[in-house]
Amino acid sequence: MSEDSSSESPRPGAGTTDRPDEPLRTKDRNPAERDAGTGRDPAEPGREDGARDTGPPRADAEEHDGPVGERDALRYLAEGSGRDDAERSEALRAGAIADEIARRLHADASGTRIGTLALFNADVSFGGGLHTGGARTAGPRPGGVSVLAMDATDIADHTELFVAPEGYGEALDALCEQRVLVLTAAPGSGREAVAVNLLGEALAMDGGGAGCHRLLTPATVLEAGWEPPVKNSGYLALLDDGPAADRDFTSAFLGGHAHGTARWAAVVAALRAAGCFLILAGGHDLDVLAAGPGGDQVARHALVPADPLAIVERRVLGHGGSADAYADLHALLERTGAATALREQPAARNAARLASVIRADGDVTAAVAQLRDPSEQVRAWFNRYRAPEAVAFALAAAVLEECGYLTVADAAANLRAALVEPEPAPPDLRFGDRLGHEQQWIRLDLPKEGGFAPPRVRFRNALLGQVILGYAWNLLDGRRGAVLDWLRGLLSHRDLQVRARAAVAAGVLALTDPHYAVHRFLTTWAGSTSWPLRQAAATALGVAGSRPETAEAVWELLHQWARGDASAYQRRLAGTAANAVGGLLGRTAPDRAVAVLRSALDREDDWGTLPSVAWGGVHLIHQGRTEAVLRAYLDWSEPQDLSPMVVKSLSAFVFAVSRPYEEPVIDTAGDRGHGRVPGVPVLLCELPRHREPLAELWARALARRPVQDSALEALHSWIDDYAGRSPGSLDAIGALLVSVARRPGRHRERLTWWLEKWARDREKPSAGAARLLRTLDPAR
């Protein structure tokens, strides 16, 4: 309970005769009643004789380290600085994004998990086979053999249960007319099955044939005088089934580009004379190549992959199947998560793989889990794509997922520049053209019809971005420094969304090895003179401590930083610790959070951490941890004297009751259902729920200098600025003031004086204060 100041002794060394508990500020009293020793009103606004100061702050103290003395710290809380709104906005945005990522890491509803052991088991290789049935494995080519016949089993597997994709008829007509068809699609899209069916139908329409053959050395087609080895046959060349095949064919094609039209005309003539057809299947690079010299001699078709669900239906139920059978199959796909897996990875080969498990009565749930395991996808991708362009875009998307395409592309271009030798001119990078081939795990979400917004970059699986970051950080050893420098550069980006996501990405990197991260970059950022870096370190630590296996180490580090000495560097570390516990960490462990805040606040004559601690308390309150914060403020201010800890604690409380609530930048489950009102302090909205602790803290703040001035201003704002926006708040304030007035001391006298002053203000009389005055004193 608050005590009347008449029983207190002035603080030793305070240098003032002013009592800490004044019943009222007599600004309008007769000047003769002013303090005889100073000629000033002891209760006049701005009176700070009892406020200790450690001397003038350094010229850069406000910019880099915050206020150091009591006077500056209290003024900082009351007035803020030019960066307050930006810092707060960044903290809220980063915290919301960190929350979202933490939920993805721990509680994906589909059951997907990151296979950590599999992720770092680097001796597993990735096969490049593109056969939708999963039966073909690319083996060594027999010496001297350039053509290999496809056996009847292989052909039947492609044709018996084939699902024709959209545009199949047009592709067939083009092949029959031109004899050479460039068929482009992403790996695993079923392009080989489409090619085999096209060749079979074209041969049948041409009068029969000798079957299909694989061209093992596609570049030989472009040699002068080439003729099909077997007449009346269909030939299939997979141009990206291996780097050597790509290089050889490209070299042969470009080597004769001056005579490209004539060369391809000769190839077409040879095929026509032998009754043969040729399909060149590949991806984006082949499409670009075929659009060059000689491309007018061949047909080109961009394959639209078939619906993976239709592929499963055909391979499981055949060409028949009753309505009940289809219903049962769809129920199985939904129940096991297979439908979700096919939406995330719609490649035809994945549909064929799941269909084979269903036909064999295998464990579909296990097959789905293996298919959706992001660790397997990431390892396979990095084993296949190693070019700086591909790696740079994957990492940029992993850091900046949900951002617009141009933002991600620019970041990828910057990272790519750090991974290659300097170039005389900007490279011709077209990431978007390659998304469907190299980056099948990424999709570009366009705005809804009629809307205007940039396409958003998103992964098909919610965990992929995190696994990509972990893989690159742990296994791309030669590029770790470049990635870290690039990530740090994003922290100074103009777009707050980019800065926040970069900070979260740093936390994801720290998850893989917190000890390394702390010594490699987190401590440097946390003690930096740059507040964006300090904010980034706080956010990263929140993510790094969000998993049980890393939480304890992060908490120990924060306690260590909070207890540091009074040097400017240690003060910055303590402020970062206070900022960190105001986020995700504090929401999950509020008692541990307030313990860190206390250590950061209770630092003798060092007032520099007060703003960070005050903001940390506000963030915890905004996350629904009001009870823990109020309990801490009551405990810390229990002595009710003028000791620094009491003044700091009550100042942090007044700051909390003064800060209006803002809607979260990202809607999360933890932000719903609290009855908060945007633009109104949370503690006012929650007043009925926490009336007793709030009444005691209000009583202490209103009775203690130098907190009294800001407490009165906060109470005035509650009455005139906020109560009207939150129904029932004025009545709740009335109950609060009645509770404060009943406490021993001069609380009733003070409240009555100020309510009457606000109610009778000549320029802006307060109807709310008049109503509360009647509540406090019904006789009026």
Side-chain angles (χ1 to χ4, degrees), residues 145-223:
V145 177
S146 62
V147 176
L148 187 65
M150 298 178 65
D151 59 31
T153 302
D154 203 2
I155 292 177
D157 191 46
H158 282 310
T159 58
E160 285 184 357
L161 299 174
F162 176 67
V163 177
E166 180 183 345
Y168 179 83
E170 290 86 343
L172 179 59
D173 293 341
L175 175 62
C176 291
E177 181 180 350
Q178 299 286 99
R179 293 284 168 162
V180 178
L181 175 67
V182 174
L183 183 68
T184 53
S189 59
R191 61 190 179 185
E192 183 174 334
V194 173
V196 171
N197 279 271
L198 287 171
L199 289 172
E201 291 199 44
L203 288 170
M205 294 169 64
D206 204 44
C212 295
H213 297 73
R214 300 184 190 278
L215 275 179
L216 303 181
T217 55
T220 59
V221 171
L222 296 173
E223 295 177 356

Side-chain angles (χ1 to χ4, degrees), residues 415-674:
L415 177 56
R416 187 254 182 201
L419 300 178
V420 300
E421 293 293 329
E423 297 169 299
D428 182 12
L429 299 175
R430 305 184 187 188
F431 297 115
D433 288 347
R434 312 184 68 89
L435 282 182
H437 180 76
E438 291 178 346
Q439 310 275 1
Q440 294 182 56
W441 49 22
I442 294 174
R443 69 177 192 266
L444 286 182
D445 285 353
L446 299 175
K448 295 181 179 179
E449 187 174 353
F452 178 78
R456 299 288 171 180
V457 176
R458 292 186 174 93
F459 284 95
R460 296 182 183 276
N461 182 310
L463 296 178
L464 276 171
Q466 321 316 316
V467 183
I468 288 171
L469 288 171
Y471 186 100
W473 184 247
N474 284 276
L475 296 182
L476 303 184
D477 296 324
R479 295 174 170 178
R480 190 174 299 117
V483 169
L484 185 59
D485 290 342
W486 167 76
L487 192 63
R488 189 187 185 285
L490 291 179
L491 295 174
S492 60
H493 197 280
R494 290 180 179 273
D495 188 343
L496 173 61
Q497 182 83 209
V498 171
R499 298 200 302 271
R501 291 186 180 277
V504 171
V508 173
L509 299 183
L511 274 170
T512 63
D513 188 340
H515 180 79
Y516 176 86
V518 166
H519 294 283
R520 179 69 173 83
F521 62 92
L522 284 180
T523 302
T524 302
W525 293 2
S528 171
T529 56
S530 165
W531 72 261
L533 277 183
R534 296 200 297 272
Q535 171 60 43
T539 300
L541 285 168
V543 176
S546 65
R547 299 179 70 169
E549 59 268 32
T550 56
E552 195 61 36
V554 170
W555 279 111
E556 289 180 4
L557 176 69
L558 295 176
H559 279 287
Q560 176 185 333
W561 285 355
R563 291 190 296 263
D565 58 42
S567 68
Y569 176 72
Q570 290 293 336
R571 183 184 307 117
R572 293 193 293 268
L573 290 179
T576 300
N579 194 0
V581 300
L584 176 64
L585 283 173
R587 196 183 74 184
T588 55
D591 290 336
R592 300 190 74 165
V594 296
V596 171
L597 292 180
R598 173 161 193 160
S599 296
L601 195 62
D602 194 8
R603 296 164 59 87
E604 297 298 330
D605 290 338
D606 184 2
W607 289 75
T609 57
L610 176 57
S612 297
V613 172
W615 273 115
V618 169
H619 291 156
L620 286 174
I621 290 170
H622 286 192
Q623 294 187 91
R625 297 301 178 258
T626 302
E627 183 176 353
V629 175
L630 295 183
R631 187 168 60 245
Y633 289 159
L634 285 170
D635 178 51
W636 303 346
S637 63
E638 180 61 31
Q640 300 184 60
D641 53 21
L642 284 177
S643 62
M645 190 60 182
V646 170
V647 176
K648 292 176 183 179
S649 304
L650 294 177
S651 298
F653 164 72
V654 172
F655 184 75
V657 300
S658 304
R659 302 307 306 181
Y661 176 70
E662 293 182 6
E663 290 183 293
V665 292
I666 292 181
D667 186 33
T668 61
D671 293 314
R672 304 180 198 136
H674 291 289

Side-chain angles (χ1 to χ4, degrees), residues 270-286:
L271 290 167
R272 196 178 301 277
C276 296
F277 299 90
L278 169 63
I279 293 181
L280 303 171
H284 176 265
D285 290 342
L286 175 62

Side-chain angles (χ1 to χ4, degrees), residues 130 136 181-185 187 191 215-222 235-253 264 278-287 289-290 384 437:
L130 304 174
R136 185 178 73 84
L181 175 67
V182 174
L183 183 68
T184 53
R191 61 190 179 185
L215 275 179
L216 303 181
T217 55
T220 59
V221 171
L222 296 173
Y235 292 91
L236 171 61
L238 293 175
L239 267 296
D240 60 359
D241 201 20
D246 284 330
R247 287 196 301 269
D248 292 345
F249 184 83
T250 301
S251 177
F253 191 100
W264 276 112
L278 169 63
I279 293 181
L280 303 171
H284 176 265
D285 290 342
L286 175 62
D287 188 44
L289 195 63
R384 185 177 182 88
H437 180 76

Side-chain angles (χ1 to χ4, degrees), residues 664-696:
V665 292
I666 292 181
D667 186 33
T668 61
D671 293 314
R672 304 180 198 136
H674 291 289
R676 299 167 185 167
V677 179
V680 176
V682 171
L683 291 179
L684 175 55
C685 296
E686 295 184 349
L687 178 53
R689 205 182 321 171
H690 305 286
R691 179 175 297 134
E692 282 307 307
L694 282 171
E696 178 62 22

Side-chain angles (χ1 to χ4, degrees), residues 271-355:
L271 290 167
R272 196 178 301 277
C276 296
F277 299 90
L278 169 63
I279 293 181
L280 303 171
H284 176 265
D285 290 342
L286 175 62
D287 188 44
V288 173
L289 195 63
D296 57 340
Q297 298 295 306
V298 302
R300 295 163 59 199
H301 181 76
L303 177 64
V304 177
D307 180 2
L309 182 58
I311 295 175
V312 173
E313 292 173 345
R314 179 66 57 81
R315 286 180 169 266
V316 173
L317 302 176
H319 292 279
S322 64
D324 289 342
Y326 275 91
D328 291 343
L329 176 60
H330 286 199
L332 173 66
L333 296 177
E334 291 292 341
R335 184 172 65 253
T336 59
T340 299
L342 292 176
R343 284 192 292 270
E344 291 178 355
Q345 300 187 68
R349 65 179 170 196
N350 297 326
R353 185 185 311 170
L354 287 177

